[in-house]
Amino acid sequence: MAVPYEKIPFAGTVKSPQKENEGMITGNWRTRRPILDAEKCTECQICWISCPDSCVNLMTKDSPINFNLKYCKGCGLCAEMCPVGAISLVPELDFED
Ligand code: SF4
Ligand code: SF4
């Protein structure tokens, strides 16, 4: 149920959407893209709990994590929080997609 913003309590939280929401796409804000070095990753999942946009996905094979680039805004929190430096931020202009 939608709640008007003026009814949200001070310092309250807003439930995050649990499915795709075209109105909340933030990937087009991004100037840098998080890239995982899977060799360094210990699968501690700290990046997963740190992402404010819930766009770190845990995987079971191929790679321990991946990023949902439709919503990742490149804030860099995941890289800051990673205790082993397994995530680096690369300029978007370095990619063709
Ligand atoms: S750069 Fe920011 S938005 Fe993107 S995955 Fe990391 S914490 Fe989430
Ligand atoms: S915080 Fe770093 S080591 Fe932990 S799961 Fe994420 S990338 Fe891997």
Side-chain angles (χ1 to χ4, degrees):
M1 181 174 70
V3 178
Y5 75 90
E6 64 271 16
K7 294 208 170 159
I8 296 174
F10 178 73
T13 57
V14 179
K15 262 179 116 175
S16 61
Q18 300 299 307
K19 56 187 180 185
E20 292 281 329
N21 184 336
E22 295 295 319
M24 298 185 79
I25 289 174
T26 48
N28 54 2
W29 299 4
R30 195 176 57 250
T31 59
R32 297 177 305 159
R33 184 182 301 191
I35 297 293
L36 175 71
D37 181 342
E39 295 288 314
K40 287 186 184 171
C41 178
T42 61
E43 304 182 33
C44 68
Q45 304 182 357
I46 290 174
C47 55
W48 176 65
I49 60 171
S50 302
C51 177
D53 286 314
S54 301
C55 50
V56 176
N57 298 317
L58 304 176
M59 297 181 70
T60 54
K61 57 180 184 173
D62 299 331
S63 178
I65 62 163
N66 70 9
F67 303 99
N68 182 341
L69 296 177
K70 197 169 174 185
Y71 298 97
C72 168
K73 58 187 181 305
C75 68
L77 264 176
C78 53
E80 285 292 322
M81 297 303 290
C82 176
V84 295
I87 301 172
S88 52
L89 289 157
V90 178
E92 274 297 322
L93 292 175
D94 288 2
F95 299 93
E96 292 186 0
D97 60 336

